[in-house]
Amino acid sequence: MQRRLFLSRSLTASLAFAGSAATLPSSLWAADPAAGGVLRRSRGGTLTTLDPHRALSSADLEVAADCFTALTRVDANGAIVPACASRWQISSDGRRYEFFLRSGLRWSDGSAIEAVDVVASVRRLLQPETGALLAYRYDAIKGAANYRVGKAAAQTLGVSTPARDRVVIDLEHPETDLLKLLALAYIVPTRLVAERGADWSKPPAIVVSGAYRPVSWAQNGTLVLERQPHVLSVVHGAAAIRRVEWLMGVDDTTRWRLFKSGELDLAQIGEPSVLATARRESPKALRSTPFYGGGWVGLNLRKNLIRDLKFRRMLALSVDRQVLVDKVRVLGERASESLVPEAVLDYPDRATPAHASWPMSRRMAEAKALAESLGLSRSRPQRLTAIFSSNNLTQRTFLALDAMWAPFGVRLDLRGLESRAYSLALNQGDFDLMDYSPFSAVQSATSFIGRFQSGSFLNYSGYSSTEVDRLIELAERQQLATERARYYRDAEALLLRDLPVIPLYSGITHRLIGTRVRGWTASAALASPSAYLSIVSS
C-alpha cells in the first residue's frame, strides 16, 4: 500500500520541488557540454528504480519510457501507435485482442524478443510479488483480478501466445483503455529477472527492450543512458541521440542555473519564483503544457463533522479557486471544479456542480448560511488537521485555504510529513483533510473517477455509493469510448454532489527547451521520451 500511496504524491513533488540549491561540482559531465550527440535533461522528483514494473514515482515512469517498450507506445503527440506489435485485430464483441509482433525485435544484448517474452512480462507485471502500482488497471483481462491478489495461477491469466509472433489477450469485458494501458506494460527480460533477482535492473548489466540502456547511475543522481545497438525506429522512435544524461535530485533553482549556463538542454520546473524568472528572462525557451493531472483536497468522510454533506458543501463553496491559482500557486493552472483534468480530451463533457457558475458573492452567502446552520463561528472555530507530503507550495495552498475558511468558523492545523509518514497517516485515516494530486500516465477518465469505487485503494476518503459503483462498473464494461464517457459523467455528477474531495485545479507542466533540442512536441503525456528528440551543434 505504501508504494501505491507514494505514487499519488510523487507528481506534486516533481511539479513543485522547493528547497535550497544543491551543492554541485563545477562540471557535472565527463564530456564537453557542447559535444554532439549528448542530451542533458533534468526533472523534479526522485528516481527510485530502473525496473519499470516497480516504478514508484513520475521520475521512474519517465525514465522507463526511455529504456523499455511494449506492444503499443505513446508517440510524440500523445497518440497510441504500434510498437512491438505491428498491428492488431479486435473481436466484434471487444473481448479478444490479437497482436502480431514485428520481425527483428531484439533485446539490447542482441537476443530475440518473442511473444513468450511479452506473455511472461505481463504475468510479472500483474503478479502480487511485483506489487506494480498500476496492476489493478488491467483487471479487465481474464483472470487478472484474482491473479494479482494471489488467488489464481499465472496459467489462468487471459494472455497467451498461439505462435512465436502472436500474442492474444482475452478480456472479461470490453476495455476501451486497453491499448493505452498496454503502452505501460513494458517488456522486461524475465529470464534475467529469474537468474539475478533484484540485480537484473542495475547498470551496466541491465538488459532493456527500449531505445536506451542505462550504463551508470551515480550517487549524485546522474543517470547515464546510451543508445542500444538494436533500435528500430518504427518501434522506439528515431533515437538519433547517442547518449542521454539525466540529472535527478536537484531543485528548481539549480536546474534553472544549469539550463542558463548551457549544462542542461531540457529541464522541468515547477516552483513559482523560478517559473516567474524563466518567463521573464527566457520566454522563448519555456513550454507550458496541460497534463493528465490536477489538484484536490481530500476529505475524510469517516470523521463526524466531515460526514455532514452541508459541511463539505460549505467548504467547497467558499474556495476562491481563481485566487488560489492566480495569486497563491502562480503556476498557470486552470481553476476547475470537475474531477477530470482538461487535458483528458477524450472526456470532453465534464460534470460540474450547479454552484460552479455562481458569482463568489452568492457562493459566500450560501456558505455563510450553511456555516450558521451548523453552529460554526469565527470566534469558536472548528479545527481540522490537514496533512500533506512536505512541500512549500502545498503548504502555501493550505494556508490560503485556511484564510478562506476562517470567516466560516473553520481553521486548519497543518502537518507536513515525509513520504513514509504521510503514507502511514493515510493508511490509518489519521487526518481530516489531505492534499490529493491525482494524475494518470495515460489519457483516461478512469484514473480520476474509478478511484472512488468502493474498495479502491485510492479511495482515501472512505467514500461509498452503490449508485456510483454501479455507474463505474457500467462505464468500464462499455465497448464504445463515448458510452463509457457517458456513464462516467453520470458518476462524476454524483461525486460532485457528494463531495468526497474538493476539486481545485487542472494541472500544467513547464519545461525549458534548449536551442540545441529538436523534435520536442507539446503533449499531455507523462513522459517525453528522448528517442523522439534530436540535438544540433550549438
Side-chain angles (χ1 to χ4, degrees):
M1 177 65 78
Q2 285 189 0
R3 286 169 54 83
R4 290 170 170 171
L5 294 176
F6 181 78
L7 183 63
S8 75
R9 294 299 317 129
S10 63
L11 192 64
T12 296
S14 69
L15 292 179
F17 190 95
S20 59
T23 300
L24 298 169
S26 57
S27 177
L28 290 171
W29 320 109
D32 180 5
V38 180
L39 175 70
R40 284 142 187 179
R41 56 188 306 182
S42 182
R43 58 156 299 142
T46 302
L47 182 65
T48 70
T49 181
L50 296 178
D51 183 339
H53 292 172
R54 294 180 178 273
L56 290 174
S57 69
S58 50
D60 294 343
L61 290 170
E62 184 148 23
V63 169
D66 270 359
C67 300
F68 293 91
T69 192
L71 290 172
T72 62
R73 64 181 169 94
V74 182
D75 72 8
N77 296 308
I80 299 296
V81 298
C84 289
S86 61
R87 61 186 179 91
W88 51 80
Q89 58 189 31
I90 307 172
S91 64
S92 59
D93 64 358
R95 295 176 60 182
R96 168 167 283 203
Y97 285 65
E98 186 168 10
F99 296 87
F100 298 83
L101 267 60
R102 299 182 190 277
S103 60
L105 295 172
R106 297 194 175 276
W107 298 101
S108 58
D109 66 1
S111 57
I113 296 176
E114 299 179 346
V116 291
D117 296 308
V118 178
V119 173
S121 294
V122 175
R123 287 178 175 177
R124 178 180 186 262
L125 173 67
L126 300 184
Q127 70 184 13
E129 295 82 2
T130 300
L133 292 160
L134 296 178
Y136 76 101
R137 288 299 311 275
Y138 299 86
D139 277 0
I141 296 175
K142 185 177 180 180
N146 284 330
Y147 173 62
R148 70 176 175 83
V149 295
K151 294 182 178 180
Q155 291 73 21
T156 66
L157 193 64
V159 183
S160 59
T161 171
R164 291 183 64 183
D165 64 346
R166 282 190 290 159
V167 173
V168 172
I169 299 181
D170 289 304
L171 305 181
E172 301 278 5
H173 55 78
E175 171 55 89
T176 60
D177 279 350
L178 183 65
L179 295 176
K180 302 173 186 177
L181 294 169
L182 288 176
L184 301 175
Y186 291 116
I187 303 170
V188 302
T190 54
R191 69 187 190 283
L192 295 182
V193 175
E195 292 173 8
R196 302 175 185 172
D199 289 341
W200 83 269
S201 60
K202 294 181 180 179
I206 184 172
V207 173
V208 301
S209 57
Y212 292 95
R213 184 176 65 87
V215 295
S216 68
W217 186 4
Q219 288 186 343
N220 71 355
T222 301
L223 173 71
V224 177
L225 312 177
E226 289 186 352
R227 184 179 59 214
Q228 60 109 336
H230 304 287
V231 169
L232 295 177
S233 61
V234 70
V235 175
H236 308 104
I241 294 167
R242 173 179 55 82
R243 179 182 173 101
V244 180
E245 296 171 340
W246 279 96
L247 178 64
M248 303 289 188
V250 297
D251 61 17
D252 275 25
T253 300
T254 304
R255 279 195 289 276
W256 167 246
R257 176 170 60 81
L258 294 172
F259 181 81
K260 287 290 284 183
S261 67
E263 294 183 80
L264 283 176
D265 299 300
L266 198 157
Q268 184 192 65
I269 57 174
E271 208 287 321
S273 63
V274 178
L275 178 61
T277 301
R279 283 172 172 160
R280 183 175 63 252
E281 298 184 14
S282 297
K284 292 183 179 179
L286 185 64
R287 303 290 187 276
S288 300
T289 311
F291 79 107
Y292 308 137
W296 304 339
V297 173
L299 307 173
N300 190 345
L301 303 189
R302 306 168 192 89
K303 299 298 182 78
N304 286 334
L305 181 58
I306 298 173
R307 193 178 294 128
D308 191 325
L309 179 57
K310 291 194 297 183
F311 182 76
R312 303 198 299 276
R313 193 162 188 270
M314 183 271 292
L315 293 179
L317 281 164
S318 53
V319 175
D320 191 328
R321 291 161 179 78
Q322 208 60 55
V323 167
L324 207 61
V325 298
D326 290 346
K327 305 297 184 182
V328 179
R329 296 183 61 82
V330 203
L331 289 175
E333 297 150 337
R334 293 288 297 274
S336 174
E337 295 194 58
S338 298
L339 295 172
V340 182
E342 294 179 6
V344 182
L345 299 179
D346 61 0
Y347 181 73
D349 188 21
R350 289 163 182 76
T352 55
H355 61 253
S357 61
W358 294 1
M360 281 307 299
S361 57
R362 181 180 175 185
R363 294 168 65 113
M364 297 291 273
E366 178 70 11
K368 181 179 179 181
L370 288 169
E372 290 175 351
S373 72
L374 292 164
L376 299 172
S377 69
R378 180 191 283 269
S379 60
R380 292 192 302 275
Q382 173 69 41
R383 304 202 73 88
L384 300 177
T385 299
I387 66 171
F388 57 98
S389 187
S390 292
N391 177 280
N392 288 349
L393 181 59
T394 308
Q395 183 174 12
R396 292 200 298 271
T397 301
F398 271 118
L399 287 172
L401 291 172
D402 177 58
M404 292 177 185
W405 289 333
F408 304 97
V410 174
R411 299 304 305 266
L412 301 183
D413 297 320
L414 306 187
R415 290 174 57 200
L417 306 171
E418 57 87 22
S419 59
R420 285 189 179 182
Y422 184 72
S423 296
L424 184 62
L426 287 177
N427 280 328
Q428 296 179 341
D430 185 18
F431 66 95
D432 296 311
L433 309 180
M434 56 162 286
D435 175 47
Y436 201 168
S437 300
F439 76 98
S440 179
V442 296
Q443 180 174 218
S444 174
T446 305
S447 300
F448 304 94
I449 298 174
R451 64 185 64 213
F452 293 102
Q453 200 163 22
S454 300
S456 167
F457 72 89
L458 294 171
N459 188 0
Y460 305 134
S461 296
Y463 175 78
S464 181
S465 165
T466 302
E467 180 62 8
V468 169
D469 286 348
R470 185 185 73 85
L471 289 169
I472 290 174
E473 185 174 351
L474 276 172
E476 294 179 0
R477 291 177 177 271
Q478 298 306 306
Q479 192 168 345
L480 298 177
T482 52
E483 287 299 298
R484 168 179 275 212
R486 182 170 68 84
Y487 284 109
Y488 272 146
R489 190 191 184 284
D490 291 343
E492 185 184 20
L494 292 179
L495 289 164
L496 293 175
R497 179 200 67 186
D498 294 345
L499 292 170
V501 298
I502 299 174
L504 301 177
Y505 57 84
S506 281
I508 191 167
T509 56
H510 305 282
R511 295 182 179 89
L512 293 163
I513 312 298
T515 56
R516 299 195 316 144
V517 178
R518 299 290 183 272
W520 189 87
T521 303
S523 169
L526 179 69
S528 299
S530 302
Y532 300 156
L533 306 175
S534 62
I535 54 177
V536 296
S537 299
S538 301

